[in-house]
Amino acid sequence: MAYDLEAKDEEEIFPAGNREFRRFQVVKPRVSPDGRFVAFTSNNPREWNAWYADLKTKEAFHIAPGCEPTWFPDSSKIAFIKMEGARDQSGIFSYDLEKKEIAELVDFDSPRGHEYFPTVHSNGQFIFYASSREGEHSHLVANYQLFVFDLARKQRVRLTFDAHTNRWPKFMP
């Protein structure tokens, strides 16, 4: 949904006009920085899959089984959580829209190898995320800790050391 603050009017921007998603969930949508696309998680064809769609044509493109898609600042790539083929049940991978290629970004072994909740910094160099121990996945009770990963230097820094579940990290402008 898009909401015009001045006109106080809302408009469905996706899946409006796309019959493929009428009976499926479209969750955690994120519009690309250039406004051309929306990335989202869906239970189409089964739980969970990362997708993106062209907002003009309403055509949807499947990325891979996974979730939490988020945009790089130039709208050319999407970072997302990939389960299949990742260490410790999940990792952060990228999808290049032009090349249609998936590449590993952050995928560590135990302990703290269950990466989740990614956010890409506005300069595209850092990924902020949470990670839990092996066997933990509950978004409510798992001991997720916050990390930042420098893509240029290939370095990970742990930011929190507590007994709480730290989820949905975001960079502040």
Side-chain angles (χ1 to χ4, degrees):
M1 301 297 291
Y3 186 79
D4 185 323
L5 294 172
E6 290 181 22
K8 297 184 178 177
D9 189 31
E10 62 184 37
E11 174 190 4
E12 182 181 26
I13 59 173
F14 189 84
N18 182 305
R19 293 176 177 254
E20 181 180 4
F21 286 89
R22 280 195 178 159
R23 295 189 178 170
F24 293 100
Q25 294 181 46
V26 173
V27 297
K28 298 180 181 72
R30 293 190 180 172
V31 175
S32 61
D34 65 8
R36 292 182 52 211
F37 302 101
V38 61
F40 57 94
T41 301
S42 179
N43 61 339
N44 179 5
R46 65 187 191 292
E47 293 185 1
W48 287 109
N49 282 266
W51 291 80
Y52 73 99
D54 184 311
L55 289 173
K56 188 178 259 185
T57 67
K58 307 301 183 201
E59 184 178 6
F61 305 92
H62 184 248
I63 298 170
C67 58
E68 307 284 330
T70 186
W71 292 95
F72 275 78
D74 65 358
S75 301
S76 70
K77 290 191 293 187
I78 296 170
F80 70 102
I81 298 300
K82 184 173 176 276
M83 311 297 205
E84 295 175 2
R87 297 179 187 99
D88 205 7
Q89 299 179 330
S90 71
I92 303 171
F93 288 73
S94 68
Y95 179 78
D96 186 303
L97 274 66
E98 184 178 317
K99 296 178 183 175
K100 311 286 187 226
E101 293 176 352
I102 294 172
E104 179 184 309
L105 295 176
V106 181
D107 191 19
F108 287 94
D109 285 318
S110 293
R112 301 278 173 206
H114 184 73
E115 294 89 4
Y116 229 74
F117 312 111
T119 297
V120 180
H121 188 268
S122 61
N123 68 10
Q125 183 176 340
F126 302 99
I127 294 182
F128 196 14
Y129 66 96
S131 187
S132 66
R133 296 178 292 236
E134 183 177 2
E136 293 183 344
H137 182 78
S138 169
H139 292 189
L140 300 176
V141 298
N143 182 239
Y144 281 100
Q145 297 299 303
L146 301 181
F147 291 81
V148 65
F149 186 79
D150 184 327
L151 292 167
R153 294 187 178 102
K154 305 292 184 208
Q155 292 178 321
R156 171 174 76 160
V157 175
R158 183 172 173 176
L159 302 174
T160 58
F161 297 84
D162 59 35
H164 306 289
T165 183
N166 301 288
R167 301 171 292 140
W168 306 109
K170 301 288 181 232
F171 286 107
M172 298 300 290

